[in-house]
Structures are given as C-alpha cells and as structure tokens.
Amino acid sequence: MRAVDIIAAKRDFKPLSEEQIRSFIQGYAAGDILDYQAAALCMAILLNGMSAEETGHLTRAMIDSGEIIDLAGIAAPLVDKHSTGGVGDKISLVLAPMAAACGLKVPMISGRALGHTGGTLDKLDSIPGYITALNPVRFRDGIKEIGFVMSGQSEKVVPADRKLYALRDVSATVESIPLITASILSKKFAEGAQALVMDVKCGKGAFMKAKEDARTLAQSLVNTGSSLNRKVVAVLTDMTEPLGFTVGNFLEVEESIACLQGDGPDDVMEISYRLGAWMLIAGGLEKNLQSAEERCRRTIENGSAFARFKANVEFQGGNFSELMAMLGRARAEYSRELLAPQSGYLSGIDALGVGRASVALGVGRDTTEDTVEALAGIELLKKTGDSIEKGQLLMRVWAQEKSRLEVGFSKLQGVLSISPKKPPKSRSLIIEEITS
C-alpha cells in the first residue's frame, strides 16, 4: 500500500489499520519510505491523534522493526522502570538494585542526557571501567546472575524508533502523545520486559509541565500497554524542584550509594520505595503497596540492595574499590560557592533553572554531539523549608573549565527563593497513580 494513502487517511481523521501502520513502519525502517513522508505522518498523528488500539499497533510494529532481546526461560518476573526525565533524577540507580534484591529481574535500557534532564548512562559512565554497551548474551547473563543490568539501546533493537525519534526533533512533533507512548513502550518491551512502571514527571523541571498533560501521557501508556497485553503502571511525580541534594553525573552516583546504604534524601527514597512497590505488584510478587514498600525498605536496611549494586558494577566492568575511594573526593577542577543574600526560609528551588545551569557546567548536553563532564555538577546544601542566615553557604558548584564554571554559576542566580515566613510543610511527591 502507498505511503501517501496512509498519510492522507490520518490527515482525514480516519483510523489506521494494523496492516497500514505495519506497512508504513516496515517501509520507513527499510528506507523505502522517505523522511519527508514519515514527517508528514508524524504531523498528522500530532494533530489528529491515535486511539489506544492504533498506538498499540504502532508500538508493536516498531518492536518488530528490529531484534528483540530474548529473555525466555528466566523464571522471575521481568519488570522495568522508565522516567520521562528530571533534574537530579538518580532514581534508577537506587531502584534497579532494590528491585533485584526483592526478587525481580530488571532489564533496564537507559538513555543519555539531552537538554536540562539528566541521563542514567552518563552517570554510569562516571564509574571507572563501567561498560554500558552490553551485547545480548552479556545482557541476558547479567539479568540471570545479578538480577539487573543497565545498558544503552542497541542499534539493532527498535531501529524504527531510532529514525523516528531523530525525525520528530526536527519536525516539531516531539510532543505527540501517541508517538511518545510508542517510542517508550517499544524500547522497553523489545528489551524483554513483561511489565513496566512509568515515572511520569510533571512540574517546571519536567518535559510535561502541566499535570493534565502528564496525566494524558500516563493514561496513554497504561491503555496502550493493556492493548498489548502488558501491565503498565504510571506514577505521576512532582518535578518542581531537583531530586536529592546533587545534580551531576558522579555526584548523583555518590548520592545513590548513600541511598543504598540507608542515608539517602527523603525525596529520593519516597519515590524509589513507591516505584519499587509498584514494580513488585506489577510483577506479581506483592498484592498491596504497604507490604510492597516494606519489602523494598528491608533491602536497604539489610544491605542486600547495596550488595546487588556492587555485584552489578563488577559484572559490567567497573572498579568498585576505586569507585568507593572516589566518594567525597572526586570533583571537577574549578569550583564556586553560592551564599545566601539574606536571612529567612528557603521557599523554593527552580528545577528548570538548576537543570539549565548544570548543562552549562558540563553535566548535560544541548545536542547529541555535545560531550559531558563526569565530575561537574551542583551540590545543594539546603532544601525548601530550611531556615537560612545571610552569608550562609547554599550551593557548591563545580566545572572542568573556568569559562563553563562562570556561565553555569551565572545561571544559578535567582533559582533559589527566600521568604521571611516558613513555607507550608512539603507534601508528598507522589501526585497520582494510574493502573489498568
């Protein structure tokens, strides 16, 4: 069937059949359908939408466009987690070993930083020797032996998404809910996951800033998962402020280790325990959130989650002894300190502003060609609600180049709000939970 007829059908608000969608995706992956035709279909989908059934067909066609990681024969439930991205979001580094210690198998395919949101692979790259490019055999071995692996996407897995993802960026169709849904789910299910827990972040520092938009995406993910006979749980979490006390690649690894050793920030642990609980429920190992969260907490208390983290670092080539020796010491060459301009209470931290400053420092990248610095970053010494005195240290900032330090530091001006009155007690970061 002709690509132009499929484009015209979606342009005219007609639902696309499974055959039409599969034909288009196969043709695009093979190079028979050109970029401008795919861009036209993406725009038609953005403007006219897709049903859950259509989005399911699109997801399945994208999965089938390449290799599927074979995890058949692994007895434990295969459950993954994915985040839509935030600032200081090191949840995966805590959650994966915790879930594995609870008895799940976690085949985690992660991404790199782009824009103001951080990337798990960039954080892992800051661990000496750690390898994030695993072949399918090694990937499977890690799942069986350790309970989880953390790897980048293979070029042979979901190649249609690789092409469409790049195209959406230059065709003003990034925001399309069906395209986002198919992109996320195709990668996760092609890697072997049987169920998925989504951390859909909303707020100033998130991709979806409005709660209504985040809810729409969450519902699309859950509904599409159901159409594919896969369990998907979506948890909306607040990304108004950075998570934890650090933003930076090695800095966040360091803070994740503190979390796994029982000394993690309350906000990071709140989200980690809740997502971990939903992973256990999605995998059938627990029936309610209370018992599931208690099970997750025990892995931190008894050290089993940290033991899994150590085993994973060593399995993926990392030097664990060197990593532990770096804690509290490994920092970029140049630094500055941000002092409180007045006394009062810290009433807010602008996650987007902190994220943009971190990119300028070298933590993230504006384009896929940009390089990142492992040891650059920002440490927050105070959190919202804390009392502060004029001249008190509020932030430490590091960069590998003086010029980047100055630019990044300048972008931090105004990201902290100070009030003479103590702000209301902070609420839970869990906004809403959606399941089929």
Side-chain angles (χ1 to χ4, degrees), residues 5-11 13-21 24 41 45 49-51 53-55 57:
D5 295 331
I6 298 170
I7 297 167
K10 179 48 64 178
R11 179 201 64 193
F13 294 91
K14 295 177 182 177
L16 299 181
S17 68
E18 182 177 7
E19 183 183 7
Q20 286 175 309
I21 292 171
F24 195 98
L41 181 62
I45 291 171
M50 275 184 151
S51 67
E53 184 179 27
E54 286 178 285
T55 308
H57 293 328

Side-chain angles (χ1 to χ4, degrees), residues 231-249:
K231 179 71 172 179
V232 177
V233 177
V235 181
L236 273 65
T237 65
D238 187 276
M239 185 31 70
T240 304
E241 300 189 355
L243 280 171
F245 289 95
T246 61
V247 180
N249 294 309

